[in-house]
Amino acid sequence: FIVSSNHVYAFFVLSLLGFINYYKTNKILIIAYLLLISIFLEVLHIMIPNRSFQFSDLFGNMIGVLLALLAVNFLNYLKKNEYI
């Protein structure tokens, strides 16, 4: 089980930006959007010439989104308990 680290980093940053910009929006909606966009962008590789679909990239995308979600929740926890 190998995960593409470049995809983890890219989607971590993309997801952090999404969570920061839409922090007042319904969290389920933004999480679903980010997970669906990570899947959609990887599935598009099937149709793009000279590109290939890889499960390691797909899992890297999804792990990046989930890590960003954990980071945002952790920061909210620290802020709520006045550690920050």
Side-chain angles (χ1 to χ4, degrees):
F1 184 74
I2 299 173
V3 176
S4 176
S5 61
N6 292 335
H7 286 255
V8 173
Y9 302 141
F11 272 86
F12 179 76
V13 171
L14 177 69
S15 298
L16 275 179
L17 291 174
F19 285 126
I20 289 169
N21 286 322
Y22 296 103
Y23 70 94
K24 291 185 180 180
T25 309
N26 184 1
K27 276 200 175 191
I28 301 297
L29 182 66
I30 191 69
I31 293 167
Y33 174 75
L34 289 169
L35 285 174
L36 287 174
I37 198 77
S38 69
I39 293 168
F40 178 72
L41 289 175
E42 192 59 38
V43 170
L44 277 179
H45 283 62
I46 296 171
M47 296 182 285
I48 300 172
N50 299 325
R51 301 292 299 194
S52 64
F53 173 83
Q54 295 178 348
F55 280 106
S56 63
D57 293 347
L58 177 63
F59 293 136
N61 296 351
M62 294 172 72
I63 289 172
V65 172
L66 295 176
L67 286 175
L69 176 64
L70 288 174
V72 167
N73 283 337
F74 182 69
L75 288 174
N76 285 338
Y77 171 78
L78 291 178
K79 191 174 186 181
K80 180 180 172 183
N81 292 320
E82 298 180 2
Y83 292 117
I84 295 179

